[in-house]
């Protein structure tokens, strides 16, 4: 006869609670329709289980228009979901299925495309200018898909400007957190030493604005004219010009020569070409895998 171990858990009879109020049953599950009825301001949501995104973002990625333009179209009642016009750009969807613009169904977003453009000086990086000044869209050749610029080059800066069909890729390339390097060549007038330029690897603060690491090297000097190459990862507004002017230099020409692994190379001014899809896919994979942060800079000797 087997004797149960004193350490073995025994099945004990259940004991009814004595006294007190009886335990209440679990509340019934609330239907999604009832939840929406109680929250009239809650954005329209698609079925759970898939990633939801704002409709303005989805439409921008599909190449319909910019997010700002899409918000205007929504306010005008031109965008509908399953036949019902929406009134907020905060509408959340998992896809563009059932979405129409001006009564026409919207196709799913095509794969992202990336183009190189050699921006000449004298053109604004914007779609329209209230003052009527020329923009990059006046210079781009016809027949291209709807493109948005990655970052900006000011009117007098020339060189490589990346253009893309995909707002998500644009943001990936622009965010300082992704660490995508931008390289420039600047022609400047004034006195500067290589030692002074090497100090920029520590970053610099100008008028209360902190600029991160800049790898700067003097390429050549002719009298008081110098050519300087600078690589940075933040790309703040007019960063290169402001840093060099802070060092006492007058910038007479500024050219962006590379953005990440994409060089300007010998692309003629005003010309545009498309980055190979294979190269774009490999680059995006490298972004998803993350980049190791550079070691903490030490003060140069």
């Amino acid at each position: 006869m087997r004797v149960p171990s004193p350490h073995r858990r025994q099945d004990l009879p259940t004991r009814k609670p004595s006294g007190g109020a009886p335990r209440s049953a679990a509340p019934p599950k609330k239907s999604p329709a009832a939840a929406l009825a109680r929250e009239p301001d809650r954005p329209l949501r698609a079925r759970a289980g898939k990633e939801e995104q704002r409709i303005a973002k989805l439409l921008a990625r599909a190449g319909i228009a910019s997010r700002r333009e899409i918000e205007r179209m929504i306010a005008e009642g031109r965008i509908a979901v399953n036949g019902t016009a929406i009134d907020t750009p905060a509408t959340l969807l998992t896809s563009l299925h059932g979405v129409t613009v001006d009564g026409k169904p919207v196709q799913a977003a095509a794969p992202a495309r990336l183009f190189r453009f050699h921006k000449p000086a004298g053109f604004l990086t914007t779609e329209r200018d209230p003052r009527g000044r020329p923009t990059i869209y006046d210079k781009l050749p016809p027949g291209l898909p709807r493109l948005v610029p990655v970052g900006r080059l000011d009117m007098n800066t020339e060189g490589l400007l990346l253009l893309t069909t995909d707002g998500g890729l644009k943001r990936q390339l622009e965010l300082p957190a992704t660490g995508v390097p931008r390289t420039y060549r600047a022609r400047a007038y004034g006195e500067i030493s290589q030692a002074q330029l090497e100090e920029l690897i520590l970053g610099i603060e100008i008028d209360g604005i902190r600029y991160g690491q800049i790898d700067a090297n003097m390429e050549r000097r002719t009298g008081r004219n110098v050519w300087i190459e600078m690589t940075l990862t933040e790309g703040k507004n007019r960063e290169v010009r402001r840093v060099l002017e802070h060092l006492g230099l007058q910038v007479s020409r500024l050219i962006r020569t590379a953005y990440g692994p994409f060089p300007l190379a010998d692309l003629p001014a005003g010309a545009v070409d498309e980055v190979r899809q294979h190269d774009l896919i490999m680059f995006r994979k490298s972004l998803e895998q993350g980049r190791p942060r550079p070691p903490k800079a030490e003060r140069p000797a």
Side-chain angles (χ1 to χ4, degrees):
M1 178 176 181
R2 297 181 62 183
V3 179
S5 169
H7 302 292
R8 186 185 300 272
R9 182 178 175 180
Q10 304 298 311
D11 292 332
L12 300 176
T14 57
R15 184 178 298 174
K16 294 182 180 180
S18 58
R23 293 181 183 176
S24 59
K29 293 184 178 180
K30 298 167 184 175
S31 69
L36 284 174
R38 286 190 305 276
E39 301 178 44
D41 296 331
R42 180 181 177 183
L44 175 65
R45 293 179 180 270
R47 289 193 301 261
K50 296 182 180 179
E51 182 182 358
E52 296 175 330
Q53 299 183 58
R54 287 176 174 251
I55 190 171
K57 179 179 180 180
L58 290 172
L59 289 172
R61 291 193 63 184
I64 299 301
S66 68
R67 293 194 195 185
R68 188 172 298 176
E69 291 170 346
I70 289 167
E71 290 175 2
R72 286 197 292 265
M73 295 165 73
I74 290 172
E76 295 168 358
R78 297 169 57 191
I79 298 177
V81 179
N82 296 326
T84 302
I86 62 171
D87 57 6
T88 172
T91 300
L92 296 174
L93 300 173
T94 58
S95 73
L96 292 173
H97 179 72
V99 177
T100 58
V101 176
D102 296 331
K104 298 178 181 178
V106 178
Q107 301 297 322
R113 298 171 67 184
L114 186 67
F115 293 78
R116 295 186 311 151
F117 173 55
H118 187 159
K119 175 191 172 296
F123 291 85
L124 290 172
T125 307
T126 185
E127 192 168 353
R128 303 182 193 86
D129 179 53
R131 295 164 56 182
R133 291 173 295 178
T135 76
I136 59 170
Y137 292 94
D138 298 322
K139 192 68 176 175
L140 290 173
L144 294 172
R146 178 185 171 273
L147 298 171
V148 292
V150 176
R152 290 179 179 271
L153 294 178
D154 63 41
M155 190 167 192
N156 294 320
T157 300
E158 56 193 288
L160 179 64
L161 181 64
L162 295 180
L163 304 165
T164 179
T165 58
D166 189 283
L169 175 59
K170 167 184 166 71
R171 181 166 174 78
Q172 267 188 313
L173 285 161
E174 290 176 344
L175 281 175
T178 58
V180 180
R182 295 90 150 151
T183 301
Y184 297 80
R185 293 183 69 234
R187 184 178 68 192
Y189 178 81
E191 293 293 336
I192 191 75
S193 67
Q194 179 61 35
Q196 287 176 284
L197 293 175
E198 289 176 358
E199 291 282 339
L200 295 176
I201 200 67
L202 303 174
I204 189 171
E205 185 170 323
I206 303 172
D207 298 331
I209 300 175
R210 182 70 187 176
Y211 298 97
Q213 295 182 9
I214 300 175
D215 184 7
N217 293 283
M218 189 182 303
E219 289 188 335
R220 68 174 184 269
R221 178 196 297 275
T222 305
R224 298 193 69 193
N225 287 293
V226 292
W227 277 98
I228 300 170
E229 183 181 71
M230 304 175 71
T231 300
L232 48 101
T233 58
E234 287 185 328
K236 287 188 172 77
N237 185 35
R238 296 177 62 84
E239 180 171 349
V240 173
R241 292 182 184 274
R242 286 177 175 171
V243 169
L244 293 180
E245 288 168 1
H246 180 77
L247 295 177
L249 299 174
Q250 299 175 17
V251 179
S252 58
R253 191 177 180 191
L254 184 59
I255 309 165
R256 184 194 278 162
T257 57
Y259 200 118
F262 309 112
L264 178 64
D266 55 358
L267 188 68
V272 60
D273 68 5
E274 184 170 4
V275 174
R276 291 190 312 166
Q277 194 65 210
H278 171 77
D279 295 337
L280 177 56
I281 291 171
M282 296 302 294
F283 172 65
R284 298 194 78 172
K285 284 182 178 179
S286 73
L287 290 183
E288 292 169 3
Q289 293 169 357
R291 293 172 175 270
R293 289 191 173 275
K296 187 175 180 181
E298 298 180 0
R299 183 173 295 276

